[in-house]
Amino acid sequence: MHIVIMAWLFVVGTMALTFGSAVGGIAFFAVAGAAPAAFYAWIKLRRLQAMRAAQSQEAAAASVLEQRVDQRDHTDAGRDQQ
């Protein structure tokens, strides 16, 4: 997908260079090129953050469960050895 974004920015940049005024070309590039690319990056980053948050919650839940299991094992071993 990165190649598509780069190609889109290239095409929009080339079209912006053909504008009659510099202000018009910069405005066109900002609206038609940079804004959609920034929106796509924002969506991807939100998905990545959500995925990382879900993974960290799963890891935290697993570690609490492992602690409970370990605590039970230690008490069982203590009773067996007495």
Side-chain angles (χ1 to χ4, degrees):
M1 190 65 184
H2 290 92
I3 190 88
V4 173
I5 297 294
M6 290 188 313
W8 175 254
L9 290 174
F10 176 76
V11 169
V12 170
T14 305
M15 290 173 61
L17 288 175
T18 64
F19 267 74
S21 67
V23 174
I26 291 171
F28 178 76
F29 183 79
V31 171
F39 181 68
Y40 173 76
W42 178 69
I43 289 173
K44 285 301 220 182
L45 288 174
R46 282 194 65 187
R47 287 183 185 172
L48 181 64
Q49 289 173 350
M51 186 173 51
R52 285 184 180 170
Q55 288 175 350
S56 67
Q57 287 176 354
E58 290 174 6
S63 65
V64 170
L65 181 60
E66 289 175 3
Q67 289 174 358
R68 290 180 183 167
V69 169
D70 287 342
Q71 289 173 353
R72 291 181 188 155
D73 286 344
H74 292 303
T75 58
D76 291 342
R79 280 189 244 142
D80 290 342
Q81 292 176 358
Q82 291 177 355

